[in-house]
Protein backbone atom coordinates (compact mmCIF):
# COMPACT_ATOMS: atom_id res chain seq x y z
CA UNK A 1 0.00 0.00 0.00
CA UNK A 2 2.80 2.37 1.04
CA UNK A 3 4.93 1.48 -1.99
CA UNK A 4 1.91 1.85 -4.19
CA UNK A 5 1.38 5.36 -2.86
CA UNK A 6 5.01 6.32 -3.46
CA UNK A 7 4.83 5.06 -7.03
CA UNK A 8 1.72 7.08 -7.59
CA UNK A 9 3.35 10.27 -6.31
CA UNK A 10 6.42 9.63 -8.48
CA UNK A 11 4.13 9.19 -11.47
CA UNK A 12 2.47 12.51 -10.75
CA UNK A 13 5.82 14.27 -10.43
CA UNK A 14 6.97 12.80 -13.74
CA UNK A 15 3.75 13.78 -15.44
CA UNK A 16 3.99 17.32 -14.09
CA UNK A 17 7.46 17.66 -15.67
CA UNK A 18 6.20 16.31 -18.95
CA UNK A 19 3.25 18.62 -18.81
CA UNK A 20 5.46 21.68 -18.34
CA UNK A 21 7.33 20.89 -21.51
CA UNK A 22 4.33 19.91 -23.57
CA UNK A 23 2.47 23.01 -22.51
CA UNK A 24 4.82 25.60 -23.92
CA UNK A 25 3.74 25.73 -27.56
CA UNK A 26 0.49 23.76 -27.44
CA UNK A 27 -2.71 25.48 -26.42
CA UNK A 28 -5.02 22.53 -26.00
CA UNK A 29 -6.45 22.28 -22.50
CA UNK A 30 -7.35 18.70 -21.64
CA UNK A 31 -10.36 18.32 -19.36
CA UNK A 32 -11.15 14.91 -17.86
CA UNK A 33 -14.88 14.30 -17.38
CA UNK A 34 -15.99 11.34 -15.27
CA UNK A 35 -19.64 10.37 -15.22
CA UNK A 36 -21.95 7.35 -15.36
CA UNK A 37 -22.60 5.92 -18.83
CA UNK A 38 -23.60 2.49 -17.52
CA UNK A 39 -24.96 1.06 -14.28
CA UNK A 40 -27.11 3.22 -12.00
CA UNK A 41 -27.80 6.56 -13.70
CA UNK A 42 -26.10 5.34 -16.86
CA UNK A 43 -28.61 7.46 -18.79
CA UNK A 44 -27.33 10.64 -17.13
CA UNK A 45 -23.66 10.58 -18.20
CA UNK A 46 -24.60 11.20 -21.84
CA UNK A 47 -26.86 14.09 -20.80
CA UNK A 48 -24.03 15.75 -18.91
CA UNK A 49 -21.68 15.23 -21.83
CA UNK A 50 -24.24 16.63 -24.26
CA UNK A 51 -24.53 19.78 -22.14
CA UNK A 52 -20.76 20.21 -21.99
CA UNK A 53 -20.33 19.71 -25.74
CA UNK A 54 -23.16 22.11 -26.46
CA UNK A 55 -21.46 24.72 -24.29
CA UNK A 56 -18.14 24.13 -26.06
CA UNK A 57 -19.78 24.50 -29.45
CA UNK A 58 -21.57 27.71 -28.52
CA UNK A 59 -18.61 29.30 -26.73
CA UNK A 60 -15.56 28.26 -28.76
CA UNK A 61 -15.34 31.91 -29.82
CA UNK A 62 -14.94 32.97 -26.16
CA UNK A 63 -11.60 31.17 -25.75
CA UNK A 64 -8.35 33.12 -26.22
CA UNK A 65 -7.09 32.93 -29.83
CA UNK A 66 -5.44 29.59 -30.61
CA UNK A 67 -6.69 27.93 -27.41
CA UNK A 68 -8.74 24.75 -27.65
CA UNK A 69 -10.45 22.53 -25.10
CA UNK A 70 -10.36 18.75 -25.43
CA UNK A 71 -12.92 16.83 -23.36
CA UNK A 72 -11.93 13.28 -22.36
CA UNK A 73 -14.97 11.35 -21.07
CA UNK A 74 -14.87 8.25 -18.86
CA UNK A 75 -17.54 5.86 -17.51
CA UNK A 76 -17.41 5.26 -13.74
CA UNK A 77 -20.25 2.67 -14.08
CA UNK A 78 -22.43 4.17 -11.32
CA UNK A 79 -21.62 4.51 -7.60
CA UNK A 80 -18.20 2.82 -7.79
CA UNK A 81 -15.45 4.70 -5.92
CA UNK A 82 -12.65 2.26 -6.86
CA UNK A 83 -13.41 2.67 -10.55
CA UNK A 84 -13.72 6.45 -10.25
CA UNK A 85 -10.36 6.66 -8.49
CA UNK A 86 -8.66 4.56 -11.15
CA UNK A 87 -10.15 6.66 -13.94
CA UNK A 88 -9.04 9.90 -12.28
CA UNK A 89 -5.50 8.55 -11.77
CA UNK A 90 -5.27 7.49 -15.40
CA UNK A 91 -6.64 10.81 -16.63
CA UNK A 92 -4.09 12.71 -14.57
CA UNK A 93 -1.01 10.54 -15.07
CA UNK A 94 -1.45 9.08 -18.53
CA UNK A 95 -3.68 11.55 -20.31
CA UNK A 96 -2.26 14.57 -18.48
CA UNK A 97 -5.52 16.38 -18.02
CA UNK A 98 -5.23 19.79 -16.38
CA UNK A 99 -8.76 19.85 -14.98
CA UNK A 100 -11.21 17.22 -13.73
CA UNK A 101 -14.99 17.59 -13.84
CA UNK A 102 -18.32 15.73 -13.89
CA UNK A 103 -19.18 13.02 -11.29
CA UNK A 104 -22.75 12.16 -10.37
CA UNK A 105 -22.19 10.14 -7.19
CA UNK A 106 -20.86 11.27 -3.82
CA UNK A 107 -18.72 8.14 -3.12
CA UNK A 108 -16.97 8.66 -6.47
CA UNK A 109 -16.29 12.34 -5.79
CA UNK A 110 -14.84 11.43 -2.38
CA UNK A 111 -12.55 8.85 -4.01
CA UNK A 112 -11.28 11.44 -6.51
CA UNK A 113 -10.67 14.16 -3.88
CA UNK A 114 -7.22 12.91 -2.70
CA UNK A 115 -6.07 12.62 -6.31
CA UNK A 116 -7.04 16.22 -7.00
CA UNK A 117 -5.05 17.23 -3.91
CA UNK A 118 -1.93 15.15 -4.57
CA UNK A 119 -1.76 15.95 -8.27
CA UNK A 120 -2.91 19.57 -7.82
CA UNK A 121 -5.55 19.16 -10.49
CA UNK A 122 -8.60 21.39 -9.93
CA UNK A 123 -11.79 19.31 -9.75
CA UNK A 124 -14.99 21.12 -10.72
CA UNK A 125 -17.90 19.03 -9.44
CA UNK A 126 -20.94 19.04 -11.73
CA UNK A 127 -23.32 17.00 -9.58
CA UNK A 128 -22.37 15.08 -6.40
CA UNK A 129 -24.30 16.80 -3.61
CA UNK A 130 -23.22 15.69 -0.11
CA UNK A 131 -22.27 18.83 1.81
CA UNK A 132 -18.90 17.72 3.20
CA UNK A 133 -17.37 16.77 -0.19
CA UNK A 134 -15.87 20.22 -0.70
CA UNK A 135 -14.06 20.01 2.67
CA UNK A 136 -12.07 17.00 1.40
CA UNK A 137 -9.76 18.86 -0.97
CA UNK A 138 -8.68 22.49 -1.47
CA UNK A 139 -8.68 21.59 -5.21
CA UNK A 140 -12.45 21.04 -5.30
CA UNK A 141 -15.00 23.67 -6.33
CA UNK A 142 -18.65 22.66 -6.72
CA UNK A 143 -21.04 24.27 -9.20
CA UNK A 144 -23.99 21.88 -8.65
CA UNK A 145 -25.93 21.89 -5.36
CA UNK A 146 -26.10 20.40 -1.89
CA UNK A 147 -29.04 18.44 -0.50
CA UNK A 148 -29.04 20.80 2.49
CA UNK A 149 -29.67 23.73 0.11
CA UNK A 150 -32.98 22.27 -1.03
CA UNK A 151 -34.15 20.11 1.89
CA UNK A 152 -33.60 22.65 4.67
CA UNK A 153 -35.82 25.43 3.23
CA UNK A 154 -38.32 22.74 2.18
CA UNK A 155 -38.52 21.60 5.82
CA UNK A 156 -39.31 25.16 6.93
CA UNK A 157 -42.00 25.45 4.26
CA UNK A 158 -43.45 21.99 5.05
CA UNK A 159 -43.84 22.77 8.76
CA UNK A 160 -46.35 25.46 7.77
CA UNK A 161 -48.43 22.96 5.77
CA UNK A 162 -48.14 19.51 7.40
CA UNK A 163 -48.11 18.24 11.00
CA UNK A 164 -46.61 14.75 10.57
CA UNK A 165 -44.04 13.77 7.97
CA UNK A 166 -42.28 10.48 7.22
CA UNK A 167 -38.81 10.49 5.65
CA UNK A 168 -37.51 7.92 3.15
CA UNK A 169 -33.99 8.33 1.76
CA UNK A 170 -31.26 6.37 -0.02
CA UNK A 171 -28.81 5.07 2.55
CA UNK A 172 -25.68 7.06 1.68
CA UNK A 173 -24.26 10.60 1.88
CA UNK A 174 -26.84 12.70 0.04
CA UNK A 175 -29.73 10.70 1.57
CA UNK A 176 -28.36 11.20 5.07
CA UNK A 177 -27.93 14.93 4.36
CA UNK A 178 -31.45 15.30 2.94
CA UNK A 179 -32.95 13.48 5.95
CA UNK A 180 -30.97 15.55 8.48
CA UNK A 181 -31.69 18.88 6.77
CA UNK A 182 -35.41 18.28 6.36
CA UNK A 183 -35.82 16.89 9.89
CA UNK A 184 -33.99 19.82 11.48
CA UNK A 185 -36.03 22.50 9.74
CA UNK A 186 -39.36 20.65 9.92
CA UNK A 187 -39.15 19.96 13.65
CA UNK A 188 -37.83 23.48 14.37
CA UNK A 189 -41.01 24.74 12.66
CA UNK A 190 -43.19 22.60 14.91
CA UNK A 191 -43.60 19.48 12.72
CA UNK A 192 -43.30 15.89 13.96
CA UNK A 193 -41.37 13.09 12.24
CA UNK A 194 -43.72 10.10 12.11
CA UNK A 195 -40.98 7.69 11.00
CA UNK A 196 -37.73 7.50 9.02
CA UNK A 197 -36.42 4.81 6.73
CA UNK A 198 -33.24 4.40 4.68
CA UNK A 199 -33.25 2.21 1.58
CA UNK A 200 -30.39 0.68 -0.48
CA UNK A 201 -28.92 3.01 -3.14
CA UNK A 202 -29.02 0.45 -5.95
CA UNK A 203 -32.22 -1.41 -6.94
CA UNK A 204 -34.26 -0.96 -3.79
CA UNK A 205 -37.63 -2.71 -3.62
CA UNK A 206 -39.71 0.22 -2.43
CA UNK A 207 -42.92 -1.75 -1.77
CA UNK A 208 -42.29 -2.90 1.83
CA UNK A 209 -41.01 0.54 2.84
CA UNK A 210 -43.90 2.37 1.22
CA UNK A 211 -46.40 -0.03 2.80
CA UNK A 212 -45.00 0.84 6.23
CA UNK A 213 -45.32 4.54 5.41
CA UNK A 214 -48.92 4.06 4.30
CA UNK A 215 -49.80 2.25 7.53
CA UNK A 216 -48.39 5.18 9.53
CA UNK A 217 -50.71 7.66 7.70
CA UNK A 218 -48.43 10.73 7.72
CA UNK A 219 -49.58 14.02 6.16
CA UNK A 220 -46.47 14.09 3.98
CA UNK A 221 -43.74 11.73 2.78
CA UNK A 222 -40.34 13.37 2.25
CA UNK A 223 -38.16 11.39 -0.20
CA UNK A 224 -34.62 11.64 -1.52
CA UNK A 225 -33.37 9.06 -4.01
CA UNK A 226 -30.93 9.65 -6.88
CA UNK A 227 -32.62 11.33 -9.85
CA UNK A 228 -33.30 9.22 -12.92
CA UNK A 229 -34.78 5.73 -12.96
CA UNK A 230 -34.70 5.33 -9.16
CA UNK A 231 -36.86 8.44 -8.81
CA UNK A 232 -39.32 7.00 -11.34
CA UNK A 233 -39.43 3.69 -9.42
CA UNK A 234 -40.30 5.40 -6.13
CA UNK A 235 -42.92 7.57 -7.84
CA UNK A 236 -44.58 4.51 -9.44
CA UNK A 237 -44.58 2.68 -6.10
CA UNK A 238 -46.14 5.70 -4.43
CA UNK A 239 -49.02 5.52 -6.91
CA UNK A 240 -49.33 1.72 -7.14
CA UNK A 241 -49.44 1.19 -3.37
CA UNK A 242 -52.18 3.79 -3.02
CA UNK A 243 -50.34 6.42 -0.97
CA UNK A 244 -51.39 9.18 -3.31
CA UNK A 245 -55.02 7.98 -3.20
CA UNK A 246 -54.78 7.85 0.62
CA UNK A 247 -53.97 11.57 0.61
CA UNK A 248 -50.27 11.41 1.56
CA UNK A 249 -48.43 14.41 0.03
CA UNK A 250 -45.12 13.53 -1.65
CA UNK A 251 -42.39 16.15 -1.15
CA UNK A 252 -38.61 16.30 -1.49
CA UNK A 253 -35.63 17.85 -3.23
CA UNK A 254 -36.10 18.14 -7.02
CA UNK A 255 -34.17 14.92 -7.65
CA UNK A 256 -37.48 13.05 -7.20
CA UNK A 257 -39.21 15.01 -9.97
CA UNK A 258 -36.26 14.98 -12.39
CA UNK A 259 -37.35 16.90 -15.53
CA UNK A 260 -35.96 14.13 -17.73
CA UNK A 261 -38.19 11.51 -16.10
CA UNK A 262 -41.41 13.47 -15.57
CA UNK A 263 -43.17 12.45 -18.77
CA UNK A 264 -42.39 8.78 -17.96
CA UNK A 265 -43.70 9.21 -14.40
CA UNK A 266 -46.98 10.64 -15.69
CA UNK A 267 -50.05 11.55 -13.63
CA UNK A 268 -48.79 10.19 -10.31
CA UNK A 269 -46.28 13.07 -10.21
CA UNK A 270 -48.98 15.75 -10.47
CA UNK A 271 -49.07 17.92 -7.36
CA UNK A 272 -45.71 16.75 -5.98
CA UNK A 273 -44.00 19.69 -4.26
CA UNK A 274 -40.23 20.04 -4.33
CA UNK A 275 -37.51 22.58 -3.57
CA UNK A 276 -34.71 22.84 -6.13
CA UNK A 277 -32.45 25.15 -8.10
CA UNK A 278 -33.46 24.17 -11.64
CA UNK A 279 -36.52 23.40 -13.76
CA UNK A 280 -36.40 23.16 -17.55
CA UNK A 281 -39.80 24.90 -17.56
CA UNK A 282 -38.51 28.08 -15.93
CA UNK A 283 -39.20 31.19 -18.00
CA UNK A 284 -35.99 33.04 -17.14
CA UNK A 285 -34.58 34.33 -20.47
CA UNK A 286 -31.24 32.56 -19.92
CA UNK A 287 -33.11 29.30 -19.42
CA UNK A 288 -35.27 29.80 -22.49
CA UNK A 289 -32.13 30.37 -24.56
CA UNK A 290 -30.49 27.28 -23.03
CA UNK A 291 -33.50 25.03 -23.65
CA UNK A 292 -33.87 26.37 -27.22
CA UNK A 293 -30.20 25.63 -27.98
CA UNK A 294 -30.58 22.15 -26.46
CA UNK A 295 -33.66 21.38 -28.56
CA UNK A 296 -31.98 22.63 -31.70
CA UNK A 297 -29.02 20.35 -31.05
CA UNK A 298 -30.74 17.28 -29.60
CA UNK A 299 -34.49 17.50 -30.35
CA UNK A 300 -37.26 17.79 -27.78
CA UNK A 301 -37.60 14.17 -26.62
CA UNK A 302 -34.65 14.33 -24.25
CA UNK A 303 -35.17 17.18 -21.80
CA UNK A 304 -32.22 18.94 -20.13
CA UNK A 305 -32.41 18.37 -16.37
CA UNK A 306 -30.39 19.74 -13.42
CA UNK A 307 -27.45 17.48 -14.27
CA UNK A 308 -27.35 19.08 -17.74
CA UNK A 309 -27.29 22.53 -16.16
CA UNK A 310 -24.65 21.45 -13.62
CA UNK A 311 -22.51 20.26 -16.54
CA UNK A 312 -23.19 23.41 -18.60
CA UNK A 313 -22.21 25.65 -15.69
CA UNK A 314 -19.10 23.53 -15.02
CA UNK A 315 -17.97 24.31 -18.56
CA UNK A 316 -18.77 28.00 -18.05
CA UNK A 317 -16.51 28.01 -14.96
CA UNK A 318 -13.81 26.12 -16.89
CA UNK A 319 -13.93 28.57 -19.82
CA UNK A 320 -13.72 31.43 -17.34
CA UNK A 321 -10.50 30.13 -15.71
CA UNK A 322 -8.99 29.44 -19.13
CA UNK A 323 -9.80 32.96 -20.36
CA UNK A 324 -8.51 34.63 -17.22
CA UNK A 325 -5.20 32.76 -17.55
CA UNK A 326 -4.96 33.23 -21.31
CA UNK A 327 -4.86 29.49 -21.87
CA UNK A 328 -2.15 28.61 -19.30
CA UNK A 329 -3.62 26.68 -16.40
CA UNK A 330 -1.89 27.21 -13.07
CA UNK A 331 -3.60 25.06 -10.39
CA UNK A 332 -3.34 27.53 -7.47
CA UNK A 333 -4.43 30.48 -9.62
CA UNK A 334 -7.28 28.39 -11.03
CA UNK A 335 -8.59 27.72 -7.52
CA UNK A 336 -8.37 31.44 -6.66
CA UNK A 337 -10.34 32.27 -9.79
CA UNK A 338 -12.93 29.58 -9.08
CA UNK A 339 -13.46 31.02 -5.59
CA UNK A 340 -14.60 34.25 -7.23
CA UNK A 341 -16.53 32.73 -10.12
CA UNK A 342 -19.96 34.27 -10.70
CA UNK A 343 -22.61 33.99 -13.37
CA UNK A 344 -25.65 36.26 -13.01
CA UNK A 345 -27.21 34.51 -16.01
CA UNK A 346 -27.04 30.77 -15.51
CA UNK A 347 -30.12 28.95 -16.84
CA UNK A 348 -30.98 28.36 -13.15
CA UNK A 349 -30.64 32.06 -12.20
CA UNK A 350 -27.73 33.90 -10.58
CA UNK A 351 -24.95 31.66 -9.23
CA UNK A 352 -21.59 32.18 -7.57
CA UNK A 353 -18.96 30.25 -5.65
CA UNK A 354 -18.59 31.06 -1.96
CA UNK A 355 -14.86 31.90 -1.64
CA UNK A 356 -14.79 30.59 1.95
CA UNK A 357 -16.06 27.10 1.12
CA UNK A 358 -15.66 26.74 -2.68
CA UNK A 359 -19.29 25.67 -2.76
CA UNK A 360 -22.17 26.92 -4.91
CA UNK A 361 -24.45 29.81 -3.92
CA UNK A 362 -27.82 29.89 -5.70
CA UNK A 363 -31.56 30.46 -5.42
CA UNK A 364 -33.96 27.73 -4.34
CA UNK A 365 -37.40 27.56 -5.88
CA UNK A 366 -40.55 25.91 -4.55
CA UNK A 367 -42.07 23.96 -7.43
CA UNK A 368 -45.20 21.94 -8.15
CA UNK A 369 -45.55 19.32 -10.87
CA UNK A 370 -48.28 20.37 -13.30
CA UNK A 371 -49.24 19.44 -16.83
CA UNK A 372 -48.51 22.30 -19.21
CA UNK A 373 -48.87 22.04 -22.99
CA UNK A 374 -48.93 18.23 -22.99
CA UNK A 375 -45.84 17.83 -20.76
CA UNK A 376 -45.42 17.27 -17.06
CA UNK A 377 -43.23 20.07 -15.70
CA UNK A 378 -41.89 21.50 -12.45
CA UNK A 379 -43.58 24.90 -12.26
CA UNK A 380 -41.58 27.35 -10.14
CA UNK A 381 -44.12 28.91 -7.79
CA UNK A 382 -41.99 30.90 -5.42
CA UNK A 383 -38.33 31.65 -4.64
CA UNK A 384 -37.93 30.20 -1.14
CA UNK A 385 -34.28 31.11 -0.79
CA UNK A 386 -32.19 33.79 -2.49
CA UNK A 387 -28.40 33.36 -2.82
CA UNK A 388 -28.53 30.31 -0.53
CA UNK A 389 -25.18 29.10 0.79
CA UNK A 390 -24.86 25.48 1.92
CA UNK A 391 -26.71 25.54 5.28
CA UNK A 392 -24.74 22.56 6.65
CA UNK A 393 -21.49 24.50 6.36
CA UNK A 394 -23.05 27.60 7.91
CA UNK A 395 -24.46 25.56 10.85
CA UNK A 396 -21.23 23.62 11.42
CA UNK A 397 -18.75 26.34 10.57
CA UNK A 398 -17.22 23.91 8.06
CA UNK A 399 -14.86 25.00 5.30
C1 LIG B 1 -24.92 12.05 -5.11
O1 LIG B 1 -24.50 10.87 -5.05
O2 LIG B 1 -24.33 12.98 -4.53
C2 LIG B 1 -26.19 12.32 -5.85
C3 LIG B 1 -26.62 11.46 -6.87
C4 LIG B 1 -27.81 11.71 -7.53
C5 LIG B 1 -28.58 12.81 -7.19
C6 LIG B 1 -28.15 13.69 -6.20
C7 LIG B 1 -26.95 13.44 -5.51
O3 LIG B 1 -29.77 13.04 -7.79
Amino acid sequence: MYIHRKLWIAAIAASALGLGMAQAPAETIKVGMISSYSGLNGEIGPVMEKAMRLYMQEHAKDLPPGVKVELLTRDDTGPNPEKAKQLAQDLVVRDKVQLLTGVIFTPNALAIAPIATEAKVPFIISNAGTSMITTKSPYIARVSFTLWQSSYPLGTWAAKHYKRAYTLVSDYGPGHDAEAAFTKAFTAGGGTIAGSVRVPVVNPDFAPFLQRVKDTKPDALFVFVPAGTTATAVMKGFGDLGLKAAGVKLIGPGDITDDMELDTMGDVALGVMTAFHYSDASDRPANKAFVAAWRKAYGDKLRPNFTAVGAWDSMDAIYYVIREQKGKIDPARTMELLKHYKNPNSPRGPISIDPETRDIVQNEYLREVRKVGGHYVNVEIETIGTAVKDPWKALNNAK
Side-chain angles (χ1 to χ4, degrees):
M1 185 66 202
Y2 178 68
I3 291 171
H4 175 80
R5 189 181 152 86
K6 278 189 99 169
L7 278 176
W8 151 239
I9 290 171
I12 288 174
S15 89
L17 281 174
L19 205 65
M21 280 154 54
Q23 224 183 354
E27 299 293 1
T28 296
I29 315 282
K30 286 186 168 187
V31 178
M33 189 274 219
I34 296 172
S35 192
S36 307
Y37 292 78
S38 63
L40 185 64
N41 281 9
E43 75 286 4
I44 287 182
V47 169
M48 291 171 68
E49 180 175 345
K50 280 185 162 69
M52 288 186 181
R53 298 216 182 270
L54 183 61
Y55 185 95
M56 291 164 70
Q57 197 181 309
E58 299 236 315
H59 292 273
K61 60 185 182 315
D62 301 335
L63 289 172
V67 175
K68 287 196 165 48
V69 172
E70 186 188 345
L71 190 65
L72 289 78
T73 60
R74 299 288 183 266
D75 177 12
D76 61 20
T77 73
N80 187 347
E82 277 307 310
K83 178 81 178 171
K85 184 178 170 190
Q86 190 58 50
L87 292 173
Q89 279 184 353
D90 287 351
L91 281 166
V92 167
V93 175
R94 207 181 52 208
D95 300 305
K96 301 185 178 18
V97 300
Q98 287 159 278
L99 301 167
L100 287 167
T101 190
V103 186
I104 297 172
F105 290 104
T106 289
N108 300 12
L110 291 175
I112 295 168
I115 293 168
T117 307
E118 286 171 28
K120 296 191 170 50
V121 174
F123 174 23
I124 296 107
I125 294 184
S126 316
N127 190 75
T130 304
S131 282
M132 57 70 170
I133 294 174
T134 46
T135 68
K136 297 298 178 192
S137 170
Y139 284 91
I140 287 178
R142 172 161 46 198
V143 299
S144 50
F145 58 89
T146 73
L147 273 306
W148 271 86
Q149 268 178 333
S150 51
S151 302
Y152 193 63
L154 183 68
T156 305
W157 174 85
K160 296 181 192 136
H161 296 82
Y162 315 113
K163 287 197 179 66
R164 292 169 71 247
Y166 207 111
T167 67
L168 184 156
V169 299
S170 292
D171 193 6
Y172 78 127
H176 300 170
D177 273 11
E179 180 194 272
F182 177 78
T183 301
K184 187 171 174 65
F186 186 64
T187 54
T192 304
I193 299 295
S196 300
V197 66
R198 295 176 173 184
V199 304
V201 184
V202 183
N203 289 331
D205 173 10
F206 287 112
F209 302 112
L210 288 171
Q211 189 57 50
R212 217 185 302 162
V213 175
K214 191 181 171 194
D215 295 342
T216 311
K217 299 189 173 55
D219 301 313
L221 171 61
F222 170 90
V223 173
F224 166 80
V225 295
T229 50
T230 317
T232 304
V234 81
M235 191 68 75
K236 293 266 181 226
F238 186 81
D240 293 349
L241 282 153
L243 281 90
K244 188 179 167 101
V248 180
K249 265 306 242 188
L250 183 59
I251 59 175
D255 309 73
I256 65 165
T257 57
D258 179 354
D259 298 328
M260 244 172 84
E261 293 286 319
L262 273 182
D263 285 329
T264 309
M265 291 175 180
D267 274 355
V268 64
L270 288 172
V272 175
M273 304 292 293
T274 55
F276 219 34
H277 56 283
Y278 181 70
S279 161
D280 71 340
S282 155
D283 58 9
R284 275 181 298 283
N287 185 54
K288 284 183 144 170
F290 169 69
V291 173
W294 178 278
R295 285 195 184 140
K296 188 157 175 253
Y298 306 124
D300 56 8
K301 251 188 106 115
L302 181 68
R303 289 162 55 178
N305 68 351
F306 67 98
T307 68
V309 165
W312 173 271
D313 287 335
S314 298
M315 264 303 153
D316 189 61
I318 288 170
Y319 272 44
Y320 164 73
V321 300
I322 293 174
R323 266 197 314 274
E324 289 295 310
Q325 298 177 92
K326 304 193 169 51
K328 302 258 186 281
I329 296 289
D330 171 75
R333 174 94 182 107
T334 298
M335 292 316 300
E336 271 317 303
L337 288 164
L338 286 172
K339 285 181 193 174
H340 299 282
Y341 169 75
K342 281 187 179 51
N343 181 3
N345 272 318
S346 161
R348 61 180 117 162
I351 59 169
S352 63
I353 298 291
D354 176 5
E356 293 266 302
T357 62
R358 292 164 279 100
D359 217 339
I360 186 79
V361 181
Q362 61 192 339
N363 293 348
E364 287 292 329
Y365 309 99
L366 180 73
R367 308 104 46 83
E368 179 176 13
V369 178
R370 295 181 188 158
K371 201 166 183 183
V372 180
H375 287 286
Y376 297 85
V377 295
N378 288 295
V379 177
E380 289 173 356
I381 299 172
E382 180 189 333
T383 304
I384 50 169
T386 303
V388 181
K389 290 187 183 182
D390 175 34
W392 179 81
K393 290 194 184 64
L395 290 165
N396 295 283
N397 198 21
K399 290 198 173 132

